[in-house]
């Protein structure tokens, strides 16, 4: 199962995506591909398009992202959360999305 957790506050926008969907074999898993693509797009948009400094960590089945002080970056992370919630509604046994307060 893929677990995505979000922390969106006035001074920080962060998310962590970890795990594998197990929907199909590696290399053909459309659920993993959709989640990975969306997470990378969000992180790259914040860092490369907006030019916001961020801390990222990437390993197999894991992506962690955190930045501070940007309303636009927060909006992009909120968009990712919305997107992953929609995917989770389609694949409830494969994706879980949580938000930290």
């Amino acid at each position: 199962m893929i677990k995505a957790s979000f922390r969106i506050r006035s001074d920080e926008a962060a998310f962590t995506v970890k795990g594998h969907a197990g929907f199909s074999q590696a290399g053909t898993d459309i659920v993993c591909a959709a989640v990975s693509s969306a997470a990378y797009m969000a992180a790259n948009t914040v860092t490369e398009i907006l030019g916001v400094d961020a801390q990222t960590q990437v390993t197999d089945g894991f992506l962690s992202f955190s930045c501070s002080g940007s309303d636009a970056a927060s909006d992009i992370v909120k968009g990712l959360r919305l997107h992953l919630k929609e995917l989770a509604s389609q694949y409830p046994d494969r994706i879980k999305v949580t938000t930290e307060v």
Side-chain angles (χ1 to χ4, degrees), residues 47 53-57 64-68:
T47 58
D53 287 330
Q55 294 74 46
T56 59
Q57 181 182 0
S64 174
F65 174 90
S66 177
C67 70
S68 59

Side-chain angles (χ1 to χ4, degrees), residues 12-96:
E12 177 186 28
F15 66 87
T16 300
V17 178
K18 61 183 173 182
H20 294 284
F23 184 76
S24 181
Q25 294 178 347
T28 64
D29 193 322
I30 62 170
V31 178
C32 273
V35 171
S36 295
S37 178
Y40 276 105
M41 182 179 164
N44 288 336
T45 299
V46 171
T47 58
E48 302 303 315
I49 304 301
L50 297 179
V52 174
D53 287 330
Q55 294 74 46
T56 59
Q57 181 182 0
V58 178
T59 59
D60 180 44
F62 180 85
L63 189 151
S64 174
F65 174 90
S66 177
C67 70
S68 59
S70 170
D71 290 340
S74 291
D75 288 344
I76 290 168
V77 173
K78 287 176 186 175
L80 174 63
R81 179 179 61 184
L82 177 63
H83 184 70
L84 295 187
K85 281 184 174 183
E86 289 299 320
L87 285 173
S89 73
Q90 294 174 34
Y91 300 97
D93 295 336
R94 307 293 178 182
I95 305 169
K96 181 178 181 181

